[in-house]
Amino acid sequence: MIGCMGIAAVTKKLGGYVNTKNHGLLGNAGVLLSLGGLYAIYQNKNQWGKAHFTTTHAQAGIAVILSAVGAGLVGGVFLHPDFGIDKTNQNIRFAHKTFARGLLMAGWGTAFYGF
């Protein structure tokens, strides 16, 4: 997740239509990878008969994943360069960028907290 989303942030900074679309694709790929990881962890817990989402690391991970889904939805619905319903709104763009930066920091923090 963090790798794709970090690359997505750098790609967006390059500017331009194609980079903006690649930014969205990479960000959403990161979300899909994190959902795949969540599925694998959930299935592993089922196999071993362990309780789910009991640690702070697990709860923070769920919060980060849900937040990433929300950021992706806002980006896709409001800011998409082709059909975004409010793609020129600077307030939404600023909120999306600021929230995503915090999300990346929270993702790194959650990842390191699990070790």
Side-chain angles (χ1 to χ4, degrees), residues 12 20 74-96:
K12 177 62 179 153
T20 299
V74 167
V77 171
F78 292 99
L79 301 175
H80 192 281
D82 292 332
F83 52 79
I85 60 176
D86 210 3
K87 59 188 170 191
T88 59
N89 186 319
Q90 293 302 312
N91 291 329
I92 294 175
R93 295 172 82 78
F94 178 77
H96 177 74

Side-chain angles (χ1 to χ4, degrees), residues 9-30:
V10 172
T11 302
K12 177 62 179 153
K13 283 186 150 282
L14 297 173
Y17 174 79
V18 173
N19 288 330
T20 299
K21 291 191 77 153
N22 287 337
H23 159 79
L25 291 172
L26 285 166
N28 285 316

Side-chain angles (χ1 to χ4, degrees), residues 3-4 7 16 18 28 32 38 41-42 53 58-60 63 65 70 72 88-89 94 111 115:
C4 281
I7 294 168
V18 173
N28 285 316
L32 290 175
L38 176 64
I41 292 167
Y42 192 88
F53 314 121
Q59 293 165 358
I65 291 172
T88 59
N89 186 319
F94 178 77
F115 284 113

